[in-house]
């Protein structure tokens, strides 16, 4: 009887022993799957978090750029309200539009809606530079114009070709009232060909023209 009991116990041990490594392996496998799942979830969360942070940084950069672009922008030029004759004359040529402060103000308001107001600001800054005669003032204003509108680091950089940029860089060695003449002409031409036709078809111009026309009829 004792021998049979020992034999029975040994059989039971042999029957249960193979199950132990299998169970352990299954448990290990399950543990690994759990670990991988956690790792996967963690990576997803990390990726989502990184994307969120990146999007926030890009949005902050765009907002900062916009705020920088708004800083230091002078107010519109002082001018009397335009007459109906003046507004009609703006449609005749771009030169007539740019000759009057009221015309420049209206055009500048339109450029602001297209996020290209820096073109007008640059042109105005060049006109102001031409009026200076003091050498130290010329050098300081030329430096500011370069930093604000020519430097590739500026949010208000205007679009110029490489030839004009090379001319400016040479001229900046000894700045004068005419340091930016070529660049000013290129931006003037750009506004004339690109922005002026859209301005003439814009609500800003049409509403102003209609308002003055109605006042003229009432008078």
């Amino acid at each position: 009887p004792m021998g049979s009991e020992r034999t029975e116990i040994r059989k039971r041990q042999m029957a249960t022993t193979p199950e132990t490594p299998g169970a352990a392996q299954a448990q290990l496998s399950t543990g690994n799957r759990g670990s991988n799942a956690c790792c996967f979830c963690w990576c997803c969360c990390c990726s989502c978090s990184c994307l969120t942070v990146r999007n926030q940084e890009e949005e902050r950069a765009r907002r900062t750029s916009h705020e920088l672009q708004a800083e230091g922008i002078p107010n519109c030029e002082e001018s009397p309200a335009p007459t109906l004759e003046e507004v009609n004359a703006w449609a005749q040529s771009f030169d007539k539009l740019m000759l009057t402060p009221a015309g420049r103000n209206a055009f500048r308001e339109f450029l602001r809606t297209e996020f290209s107001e820096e073109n007008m600001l640059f042109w105005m800054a060049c006109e102001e530079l031409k009026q200076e005669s003091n050498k130290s003032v010329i050098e300081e204003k030329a430096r500011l114009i370069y930093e604000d509108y020519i430097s590739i680091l500026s949010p208000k950089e205007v679009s110029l070709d490489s030839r004009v940029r090379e001319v400016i860089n040479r001229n900046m060695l000894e700045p004068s009232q005419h340091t930016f003449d070529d660049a000013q002409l290129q931006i003037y031409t750009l506004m004339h060909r690109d922005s002026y036709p859209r301005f003439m078809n814009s609500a800003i111009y049409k509403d102003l023209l209609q308002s003055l026309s109605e006042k003229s009829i009432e008078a």
Side-chain angles (χ1 to χ4, degrees), residues 156-173:
K156 296 183 290 183
E157 178 195 6
V158 295
S159 179
L160 300 170
D161 62 36
S162 58
R163 180 192 66 82
V164 171
R165 287 184 175 277
E166 289 176 3
V167 171
I168 291 174
N169 289 333
R170 289 197 301 268
N171 291 342
M172 284 299 293
L173 297 175

Side-chain angles (χ1 to χ4, degrees), residues 76-84 86-87 90 99-106 208 212 215:
C76 291
E77 300 175 78
E78 293 183 4
S79 68
T83 64
L84 179 60
E86 285 178 330
V87 175
W90 298 348
L99 278 175
T100 63
R104 292 192 292 271
N105 285 339
L208 178 60
L212 292 173
K215 289 181 180 178

Side-chain angles (χ1 to χ4, degrees), residues 24 45 48 106 114 137 149 170 173 184 191 213 219:
C45 294
C48 294
E114 293 198 334
V137 174
Y149 305 107
R170 289 197 301 268
L173 297 175
Q184 186 185 21
M191 291 191 294
S213 297

Side-chain angles (χ1 to χ4, degrees), residues 12-96:
R12 290 178 181 176
Q13 289 177 345
M14 291 178 63
T16 57
T17 299
E19 293 179 2
T20 303
Q25 186 174 1
Q27 184 178 0
L28 181 61
S29 176
T30 304
N32 287 339
R33 285 197 300 270
S35 175
N36 289 337
C38 292
C39 180
F40 177 75
C41 293
W42 180 85
C43 291
C44 287
C45 294
C46 179
S47 299
C48 294
S49 176
C50 290
L51 287 174
T52 302
V53 171
R54 189 182 302 115
N55 290 336
Q56 290 175 346
E57 290 177 349
E58 290 175 354
E59 177 62 27
R60 189 181 302 113
R62 285 193 295 267
R63 185 170 61 251
T64 302
S65 176
H66 179 73
E67 291 170 355
L68 287 174
Q69 191 166 1
E71 288 179 1
I73 294 180
N75 295 326
C76 291
E77 300 175 78
E78 293 183 4
S79 68
T83 64
L84 179 60
E85 291 74 20
E86 285 178 330
V87 175
N88 279 322
W90 298 348
Q92 297 174 13
S93 73
F94 183 61
D95 292 339
K96 290 184 178 181

Side-chain angles (χ1 to χ4, degrees), residues 108-141:
R108 179 177 165 186
E109 181 182 353
F110 168 74
L111 293 177
R112 190 179 294 119
T113 66
E114 293 198 334
F115 305 100
S116 59
E117 186 182 12
E118 65 275 4
N119 290 331
M120 177 64 80
L121 295 175
F122 171 68
W123 185 88
M124 292 169 60
C126 292
E127 287 295 294
E128 184 179 337
L129 178 64
K130 291 178 180 178
Q131 307 304 317
E132 295 293 342
S133 57
N134 184 288
K135 183 178 180 180
S136 60
V137 174
I138 290 173
E139 291 178 350
E140 177 64 14
K141 286 192 174 184

